[in-house]
Amino acid sequence: MSRRELNYPDVDSDSDMDSDSHSSMSGSIFDPPPSESSATSYDVSMRSESPTPSIYSMTSSMRAAAYKLEYGRGLNNYSEVYSLPADDEELDRLDAQHELFKQVMGRYPPPIRQVLAAAPGEIKSVLDLGCGSGSWIMDVARDFPDANCVAVDLVPMQSADMPPNCRSEVDDINLGLEHYYNDFDYVHARLISSGIKDYERVVDHAVNVLRPRGLLEFMEFDFHTYDGNFRRIELPTTVIDPPWWPRWLAFAEMSVHQRGGSADAATHLHRWVSEHPGLEDVVYQDFWVPTSPWTQQQPYRSWGNQMRDDILAFLLSGRPLMLGCGVPEPLVDELEENARTELMDCREIGYIRLQRVYARKRVDYVPPS
């Protein structure tokens, strides 16, 4: 069973922890478009599943092993595919982005309470693939203190506020997730496509990570912006002309593909999940976020302000990616500066499209041998 949703949060009420009620803005520019039907890991936290874990701190030698400095930014030292920064500046961007996403999408999909409701003596487990700053998994750990929460990324999660039921593991998702099979009740991944070689394989592995009736949630964007009629803006990298933010994204998409990432994963995400024989109760959602505060209508103006701040920081984060793929620095500078000016002027009506899919694992699913 699958249903496709094109939704906006209910702006007249506070979103509940598991709220998924939405309303569209009929008769306005905000009307949504028509609906179409590792082999090994290293636990850097040295934590057990005890409610009183040991304290972890990163030594200078461990930090040196985990990070490398390229084009003035700190990048992970373990993947040749993912080349966005992993430094404090990027983590601050991801923290702010997480707060925006909570406003736009709500905290969690509705099935979360049922999925993480544990029987006496039972421990539920949550896995966050590509956790970034860890904002999402730490929210889950605080909201569900009896759940065992595991954050996986290419660099260790650094937070003085990490809840005692949360631990960080360093791993490359591209190497496989066999060591997690049948261990988790909820698997979450958000905006990981730029570092994933074979995204459909990751979806398949995530299904096998789940226990029966476990919850799978993936969310991506497609490295494009959309115009006021919700049409995707397609621009070549052979022409250097406005609009500049969509043009910058065209170069970013090209660079992700060149590094081996799956920049087009969002386009196929619904199909991969819907067609997987191990999943049921599939829900697909589009969320349209203004790229700048070009409207006076709330909450979209507020979201536009926050998304613009995210994009302005992302312009800086994308420099190592583009420069590392051979885009000349003067051209990167030109694209970046013109995109920044365009976004600050708020004259271009544009949206970022966030595509989310969540589903439950079938009880009777047996993976092919």
Side-chain angles (χ1 to χ4, degrees):
M1 176 180 179
S2 173
R3 71 177 189 269
R4 183 178 178 95
E5 298 181 358
L6 297 148
N7 293 329
Y8 290 99
D10 182 351
V11 301
D12 297 322
S13 61
D14 296 333
S15 71
D16 192 12
M17 178 184 296
D18 53 0
S19 172
D20 203 38
S21 60
H22 299 82
S23 62
S24 62
M25 310 288 284
S26 178
S28 75
I29 192 74
F30 298 99
D31 286 343
S35 175
E36 302 173 358
S37 297
S38 74
T40 58
S41 66
Y42 173 55
D43 184 351
V44 299
S45 67
M46 304 303 183
R47 296 172 184 263
S48 67
E49 295 185 8
S50 162
T52 310
S54 57
I55 297 174
Y56 167 78
S57 61
M58 178 178 279
T59 66
S60 58
S61 60
M62 292 175 69
R63 178 174 288 277
Y67 296 90
K68 60 184 176 182
L69 187 66
E70 288 189 0
Y71 307 107
R73 298 296 297 269
L75 278 64
N76 82 83
N77 205 25
Y78 299 121
S79 172
E80 294 301 318
V81 181
Y82 187 80
S83 57
L84 292 175
D87 52 20
D88 290 343
E89 186 176 349
E90 178 70 357
L91 299 183
D92 288 343
R93 181 182 78 85
L94 295 177
D95 284 340
Q97 183 188 79
H98 174 64
E99 294 304 313
L100 170 61
F101 288 168
K102 285 195 292 186
Q103 296 171 45
V104 173
M105 297 185 293
R107 293 176 76 85
Y108 312 110
I112 187 171
R113 289 187 182 275
Q114 180 184 21
V115 169
L116 297 186
E122 182 184 27
I123 297 178
K124 296 289 187 172
S125 296
V126 181
L127 179 65
D128 190 13
L129 299 174
C131 68
S133 66
S135 295
W136 183 88
I137 192 66
M138 287 193 290
D139 272 0
V140 176
R142 296 184 188 104
D143 291 337
F144 299 90
D146 295 327
N148 175 41
C149 299
V150 179
V152 173
D153 212 325
L154 291 164
V155 296
M157 196 171 76
Q158 289 291 287
S159 174
D161 300 320
M162 189 182 294
N165 59 323
C166 184
R167 73 177 188 268
S168 172
E169 297 187 4
V170 172
D171 208 347
D172 185 349
I173 300 168
N174 291 301
L175 300 179
L177 300 172
E178 291 87 351
H179 51 292
Y180 290 135
Y181 277 12
N182 303 306
D183 282 346
F184 290 88
D185 303 280
Y186 186 178
V187 176
H188 169 271
R190 171 191 290 174
L191 302 182
I192 63 172
S193 64
S194 61
I196 301 300
K197 295 178 182 179
D198 186 344
Y199 206 108
E200 187 175 10
R201 175 175 178 262
V202 171
V203 171
D204 182 61
H205 277 229
V207 174
N208 293 325
V209 166
L210 286 173
R211 296 165 180 155
R213 291 298 289 166
L215 177 64
L216 180 83
E217 181 191 1
F218 279 80
M219 190 272 279
E220 295 293 343
F221 95 112
D222 60 4
F223 284 86
H224 288 82
T225 191
Y226 289 73
D227 66 16
N229 294 313
F230 301 95
R231 295 175 302 199
R232 193 163 93 166
I233 299 174
E234 302 271 6
L235 297 176
T237 56
T238 54
V239 178
I240 311 301
D241 276 327
W244 294 106
W245 161 235
R247 187 79 60 186
W248 186 95
L249 276 176
F251 278 87
E253 181 189 29
M254 176 193 71
S255 300
V256 168
H257 279 303
Q258 186 173 325
R259 294 296 293 256
S262 303
D264 59 348
T267 303
H268 308 288
L269 193 54
H270 183 210
R271 176 175 58 84
W272 289 334
V273 172
S274 297
E275 295 179 356
H276 196 288
L279 295 171
E280 60 186 355
D281 300 337
V282 179
V283 176
Y284 171 84
Q285 296 170 306
D286 279 333
F287 298 93
W288 302 87
V289 186
T291 54
S292 67
W294 45 260
T295 174
Q296 296 298 320
Q297 192 170 2
Q298 293 292 1
Y300 304 101
R301 183 172 180 81
S302 174
W303 294 350
N305 261 310
Q306 294 174 73
M307 178 54 74
R308 181 176 62 183
D309 288 345
D310 180 68
I311 293 171
L312 293 176
F314 188 49
L315 294 176
L316 300 176
S317 298
R319 288 184 65 87
L321 170 65
M322 293 186 188
L323 294 172
C325 288
V327 182
E329 187 168 9
L331 177 55
V332 174
D333 291 341
E334 180 183 3
L335 292 167
E336 181 184 312
E337 183 57 35
N338 286 328
R340 181 181 295 107
T341 299
E342 182 179 88
L343 290 161
M344 295 303 296
D345 285 347
C346 302
R347 295 177 183 174
E348 297 290 332
I349 295 176
Y351 296 92
I352 288 294
R353 180 188 187 187
L354 303 174
Q355 300 182 64
R356 179 170 79 166
V357 185
Y358 61 88
R360 304 290 293 276
K361 184 175 181 178
R362 297 176 61 94
V363 173
D364 58 352
Y365 176 64
V366 178
S369 56

